[in-house]
Amino acid sequence: MAVVNHVARQRIKLLLIFIIFAAPIVTAWGMVEWRIGVPDETTAHGSPTDQVPSFELWPIAPMSDAPVSEGRWILAFDCSLQCPERRDLLWRMHRALGRDANRLTRMSIGGEGEPLPGEALVAWRETPRWSQPNKVWLIDPEGRPALAFSASVPAADILDDTQHLFKVNAR
């Protein structure tokens, strides 16, 4: 009887080991299949920029002496409507990046007035068909547009997306 009891105990231990290793897989499958416990929120407030060409192909001409820095992310803003207010919000957003602020260059396309600190002023040579008033684009250091933000997206959401991209794209 002691031998049967010992064998049964060993089988129960083996079964428990299988359950322990299979439980996370079964749980994950259930979460994916029935959408239980999966958040519905989106993390990106901007939209991907499929129709926007590489930054080198943008039809822009410099208006100020501040160059757009190579090897940095670029926050380009089509300054057509509510330009001073939006430029100020984007400047404050840039400062809110803290120690990562040096990874970003701001660029205002169009508009009037003096550039804010750390901002380059440029103008469209010709307005491209993919441009929209008050649109903001976040361009990676290699010149590829990463995200586009419509005029309705608050600067705090642009800051969230920028911080996330900086986090997942180490220097």
Side-chain angles (χ1 to χ4, degrees):
M1 195 70 149
V3 173
V4 173
N5 207 4
H6 176 72
V7 171
R9 229 181 358 246
Q10 294 302 329
R11 287 184 180 166
I12 290 173
K13 285 181 185 177
L14 184 61
L15 182 62
L16 287 174
I17 288 173
F18 282 134
I19 290 172
I20 288 171
F21 285 106
I25 295 169
V26 172
T27 303
W29 177 81
M31 289 175 69
V32 169
E33 190 67 28
W34 294 301
R35 305 296 296 170
I36 298 171
V38 178
D40 290 330
E41 298 176 10
T42 58
T43 55
H45 302 286
S47 57
T49 56
D50 298 334
Q51 304 300 322
V52 179
S54 179
F55 182 69
E56 294 83 28
L57 302 176
W58 285 27
I60 55 175
M63 291 173 41
S64 67
D65 295 334
V68 175
S69 301
E70 295 287 324
R72 289 186 179 182
W73 290 79
I74 301 170
L75 190 70
F77 167 53
D78 188 344
C79 189
S80 348
L81 303 170
Q82 301 171 341
C83 186
E85 297 87 9
R86 188 76 164 167
R87 279 176 60 197
D88 183 59
L89 286 173
L90 293 174
W91 176 77
R92 291 173 190 275
M93 183 228 68
H94 188 185
R95 294 296 113 218
L97 286 170
R99 64 181 178 173
D100 284 331
N102 63 345
R103 295 180 66 188
L104 182 73
T105 299
R106 285 184 340 280
M107 180 178 69
S108 287
I109 305 170
E112 298 175 1
E114 293 295 315
L116 295 171
E119 179 181 52
L121 290 181
V122 297
W124 293 119
R125 277 189 245 126
E126 59 183 63
T127 305
R129 59 178 164 63
W130 45 264
S131 175
Q132 294 176 358
N134 261 16
K135 192 129 188 172
V136 176
W137 296 274
L138 187 60
I139 302 163
D140 75 6
E142 295 176 8
R144 297 177 303 232
L147 292 175
F149 303 94
S150 67
S152 63
V153 176
D157 291 344
I158 297 172
L159 175 64
D160 287 343
D161 285 358
T162 304
Q163 287 174 325
H164 178 72
L165 284 173
F166 284 2
K167 181 179 176 183
V168 297
N169 293 292
R171 299 187 197 274

